[in-house]
Amino acid sequence: MRTRNHLISVAAAEFDRNGYDGTSLSRLSRSADISIGAVTFHFSAKGELASAVENAGWSATRRVVEGVTARGGPALDTLSALVLALGRLVETDVAVRAAARLTQERAGAGPEWCCCWLPEVRDLLEQAAAQGQLDPEVDPRPVAVLTAHLVGGVLARARRSRAGRPGEVTGELGELWWLVRRSIAAAPAERPAKGRAAGSAEGSAGSEMPK
């Protein structure tokens, strides 16, 4: 089991870096420092190993999605927490990045990686609209598409910036999401200015005083 897990970990890094076509079992054997016979004992073909990496990435993503959505609270706050949690996951978990790449590149692969979190994004946006948290003119559907593009950009950025500062990519996502949230959120209910409210109260009181 340790050898199998080691192979999956090494394969995730190779698939993330070089893609499915750019990775071979012989290359994986060298990177893992394991004989090709030991590799094929656990995974008879590259496709089997790629599926194992995809499963690892999907499982890690679902744990994050379920953990965030289980907390409850206002839908727009939950959505913000989920977007940032996905950004951190993409930046730190190579199996997640590899799964996202493999489900796009592999012929006959299963659903794309975004299918394990995008439905929750759509649901949260619909809930936020129903709860009056979105601007009435905002359509949740294109916002969900925009969110998918943002997370996809984080994937590409994290892949290029492996030697960057820890948290740098997630920080950039946080700044971008703040702009998105500000543009889609409903305007806060107006409250009278303190001085104006006091003046009105004094005026009312004055009008009731006997002349």
Side-chain angles (χ1 to χ4, degrees):
M1 185 59 70
R2 282 197 300 270
T3 301
R4 179 184 173 85
N5 290 339
H6 177 56
L7 279 170
I8 292 172
S9 177
V10 170
E14 291 290 338
F15 286 133
D16 176 48
R17 186 181 300 111
N18 303 306
Y20 185 72
D21 291 336
T23 302
S24 64
L25 286 180
S26 59
R27 182 188 184 100
L28 288 168
S29 170
R30 291 192 301 272
S31 297
D33 196 23
I34 296 173
S35 70
I36 191 69
V39 173
T40 55
F41 172 81
H42 291 280
F43 301 98
S44 61
K46 183 172 70 170
E48 288 185 14
L49 186 48
S51 294
V53 171
E54 288 174 12
N55 289 338
W58 270 66
S59 296
T61 306
R62 287 305 305 169
R63 284 194 296 272
V64 165
V65 171
E66 291 166 8
V68 171
T69 54
R71 298 172 195 163
L76 193 54
D77 290 345
T78 303
L79 174 61
S80 297
L82 178 57
V83 170
L84 296 180
L86 287 170
R88 284 190 295 272
L89 184 66
V90 164
E91 186 171 12
T92 58
D93 195 323
V94 68
V96 170
R97 295 197 302 272
R101 182 167 186 172
L102 286 169
T103 56
Q104 289 183 323
E105 295 182 353
R106 276 217 300 161
E112 290 192 16
W113 171 74
C114 65
C115 293
C116 68
W117 56 267
L118 192 53
E120 279 80 4
V121 167
R122 294 193 185 105
D123 288 347
L124 288 167
L125 282 165
E126 293 289 348
Q127 291 174 35
Q131 294 168 7
Q133 296 170 16
L134 298 186
D135 187 293
E137 296 186 1
V138 170
D139 184 342
R141 291 170 296 179
V143 180
V145 175
L146 174 60
T147 305
H149 283 299
L150 278 176
V151 176
V154 170
L155 276 164
R157 182 84 169 80
R159 193 169 286 126
R160 291 195 306 268
S161 305
R162 282 187 293 268
R165 277 193 336 270
E168 180 180 7
V169 176
T170 307
E172 292 173 358
L173 174 63
E175 292 174 356
L176 293 173
W177 181 252
W178 181 80
L179 293 174
V180 171
R181 176 167 178 159
R182 191 174 68 167
S183 67
I184 66 173
E190 280 195 34
R191 298 178 181 176
K194 191 171 182 181
R196 191 173 61 212
S200 299
E202 289 170 6
S204 299
S207 64
E208 294 171 2
M209 291 179 67
K211 295 179 181 179

